[in-house]
Amino acid sequence: MIKNKVLYNLYPISLYARQIAGSLILFIIARYLSVYDFGLFSSYKNVAVFCFMFANLDYHNYILVSSKANVKEVQLKISLFLLNAISIGIMIALGSTFFHLDSHILFILVVIRTFFDGTFFSLILPYFQATKTFNTIAKINIIYAVCISTIAIISYMFKLSLYKFLLLNICLGLINFIQCSYFAQINYFLVFNHIKRFCKMVDKSIWAYIGVSIASFLYSQLSSLYVSTFLPKEQAALYFSAFTIASVVGILIAAQVQKMMPDLINNSIENIKLILKKNLKIMLIITGGVFMFMLLFGKLLLLLLYGQNYYGNAYPVLLILMFGNICVAEAGVYGAYITASGNQKKKIPMQLEATILTILGLIVLHKFGIYGAALSFLFAAIYISYRYTNFTLKFINSSIEK
């Protein structure tokens, strides 16, 4: 029974493994790199992640849904969007030469690593969703997590320079790129030979995905941007120490939504209702268990992870953000069906309404500092959860009547 449970949840487990590995790497390399080098790496990494956001404005969901999970069409669209991402990566690298950077070579290496480490995984995912081979991508994720952790440990043991650390990561990423592309039978050369034909495959519904991605970024990140910009750095440190831990729920949301999405496409209403009910139950049980753990041990966890008594003051913020993320988790289940049913554009006004609610919350509660920011996010999360749930249930009922 345990073996079957593990195999069934292998993909979510693999995402946790990658997240843990990513955090472990930062912890390890920060112990031997100089403060300057670590700060440089972190800064360049954040810039690269932001730039690559434009290479995947929810395109992985667009690929799967617009192709109706047809494997052949999914493969063709993946090749197009991956080449688009590579082109954006090249433009980022070349564009950096027009700015004053402490190390252009280091920045370019970070850009390449970021593509292999995040953007590629996201854009190749629709193939494994369409073929429902989640255990395969899960094994790839786990092996990748072990390998990048091993590279970090080797770098620490031999005190390798940041350049060598990045080159080892890039080599691993390149091997993974070739392996996954071969396994998924992605033909990049076909795009070059028939570029016009491939571009015609992209229909106007993609704008809904782009709009949703941007609108989602606004309502979910405004509070964090406010804290980063307007509040004292001591308060910001408290907020982000809680934010990092609370974000663990986001990994669960992504894993569960990615896993259920193919089952919601071209399925009967009765089956869809069962799938939504089952996944919502799983989501609430797990997130509820995580919340209870944080309620009991959240303050101790903050002290253990950050090593200073000061961070224990982030405990109330942690609970607020955690509850907000549970609301987002519920919204994620119903939001998956909104996307799968071809109603992606319906999300945009709902998310813009949540953005306005966040802004109003920050205006009214700004005197409460990080608590005001956390509560503003919570209100927006509750609202988006209500709107997604209400829209989905009404849509399902109208479909049954028809």
Side-chain angles (χ1 to χ4, degrees):
M1 185 180 68
I2 293 172
K3 181 183 177 181
N4 289 336
K5 286 284 185 183
V6 170
L7 288 174
Y8 181 76
N9 294 291
L10 192 61
Y11 180 65
I13 291 170
S14 75
L15 290 187
Y16 278 106
R18 284 197 62 187
Q19 180 70 18
I20 292 169
S23 301
L24 182 65
I25 287 169
L26 294 177
F27 177 74
I28 291 173
I29 66 172
R31 286 182 170 270
Y32 82 91
L33 290 177
S34 67
V35 174
Y36 170 79
D37 283 343
F38 184 71
L40 202 62
F41 169 72
S42 300
S43 300
Y44 287 171
K45 181 174 177 289
N46 287 332
V47 171
V49 168
F50 173 77
C51 292
F52 271 117
M53 178 186 72
F54 297 98
N56 186 23
L57 289 168
D58 210 23
Y59 296 153
H60 56 289
N61 281 328
Y62 167 76
I63 291 169
L64 184 69
V65 176
S66 66
S67 304
K68 300 187 185 301
N70 180 282
V71 177
K72 187 64 178 176
E73 190 173 343
V74 165
Q75 290 170 321
L76 295 174
K77 287 184 176 178
I78 286 174
S79 61
L80 176 65
F81 282 98
L82 273 173
L83 283 177
N84 175 65
I86 292 171
S87 301
I88 288 174
I90 292 171
M91 286 190 288
I92 295 168
L94 294 176
S96 68
T97 58
F98 295 99
F99 296 90
H100 175 70
L101 298 175
D102 290 1
S103 174
H104 287 284
I105 296 175
L106 183 64
F107 179 76
I108 291 170
L109 291 176
V110 170
V111 167
I112 298 171
R113 178 186 182 271
T114 303
F115 168 77
F116 285 135
D117 191 57
T119 308
F120 171 71
F121 271 102
S122 184
L123 289 175
I124 199 74
L125 178 65
Y127 170 79
F128 297 96
Q129 290 177 297
T131 56
K132 297 185 180 180
T133 51
F134 281 100
N135 280 359
T136 301
I137 188 63
K139 291 172 185 175
I140 292 171
N141 275 334
I142 292 170
I143 292 170
Y144 184 83
V146 171
C147 289
I148 59 173
S149 300
T150 303
I151 289 172
I153 293 169
I154 291 172
S155 300
Y156 174 75
M157 289 173 61
F158 295 98
K159 301 295 184 289
L160 299 181
S161 68
L162 187 53
Y163 293 94
K164 291 178 181 177
F165 166 76
L166 289 171
L167 285 171
L168 286 173
N169 275 266
I170 290 170
C171 288
L172 174 64
L174 182 60
I175 293 169
N176 182 69
F177 176 85
I178 295 170
Q179 177 191 10
C180 288
S181 297
Y182 176 79
F183 182 84
Q185 299 176 25
I186 307 300
N187 191 338
Y188 300 101
F189 296 104
L190 196 62
V191 180
F192 289 117
N193 296 331
H194 306 279
I195 185 67
K196 289 184 179 179
R197 176 189 160 200
F198 273 77
C199 289
K200 287 180 181 178
M201 292 175 64
V202 180
D203 57 61
K204 62 182 181 180
S205 68
I206 193 174
W207 293 108
Y209 291 84
I210 293 172
V212 166
S213 184
I214 294 173
S216 176
F217 175 82
L218 286 174
Y219 95 81
S220 62
Q221 298 298 322
L222 269 180
S223 296
S224 300
L225 290 173
Y226 167 76
V227 172
S228 300
T229 309
F230 294 104
L231 296 185
K233 298 307 176 189
E234 292 80 8
Q235 287 195 44
L238 283 180
Y239 183 87
F240 287 111
S241 64
F243 182 87
T244 302
I245 298 174
S247 296
V248 71
V249 176
I251 308 166
L252 173 65
I253 297 170
Q256 204 68 25
V257 167
Q258 290 166 6
K259 196 170 182 180
M260 67 186 284
M261 182 71 78
D263 296 329
L264 295 174
I265 300 173
N266 297 328
N267 210 334
S268 68
I269 291 296
E270 289 304 318
N271 285 338
I272 286 169
K273 287 174 68 177
L274 291 174
I275 292 166
L276 291 176
K277 183 178 179 181
K278 178 184 175 181
N279 281 276
L280 183 63
K281 183 179 178 181
I282 293 171
M283 192 81 77
L284 291 179
I285 289 173
I286 296 175
T287 55
V290 173
F291 182 80
M292 289 304 300
F293 177 83
M294 294 300 174
L295 186 66
L296 296 172
F297 306 107
K299 190 167 186 177
L300 178 62
L301 187 63
L302 284 162
L303 296 174
L304 287 174
L305 288 177
Y306 294 99
Q308 297 183 41
N309 291 332
Y310 176 72
Y311 288 103
N313 297 321
Y315 174 65
V317 178
L318 172 62
L319 295 182
I320 295 171
L321 293 176
M322 183 64 69
F323 188 71
N325 281 332
I326 291 174
C327 295
V328 173
E330 182 193 359
V333 173
Y334 290 109
Y337 178 64
I338 296 174
T339 300
S341 62
N343 288 288
Q344 182 78 342
K345 63 182 179 181
K346 300 290 185 181
K347 287 183 178 180
I348 298 175
M350 292 186 271
Q351 290 178 335
L352 290 177
E353 290 163 11
T355 301
I356 294 170
L357 189 63
T358 304
I359 294 170
L360 291 175
L362 290 171
I363 293 171
V364 174
L365 301 171
H366 71 277
K367 291 183 179 180
F368 296 96
I370 56 174
Y371 298 103
L375 287 170
S376 298
F377 167 72
L378 175 60
F379 296 152
I382 292 172
Y383 180 80
I384 206 72
S385 177
Y386 165 74
R387 291 286 276 128
Y388 277 20
T389 303
N390 190 50
F391 176 88
T392 302
L393 294 179
K394 281 186 176 180
F395 185 81
I396 289 174
N397 289 334
S398 66
S399 298
I400 292 172
E401 290 173 4
K402 289 178 182 178

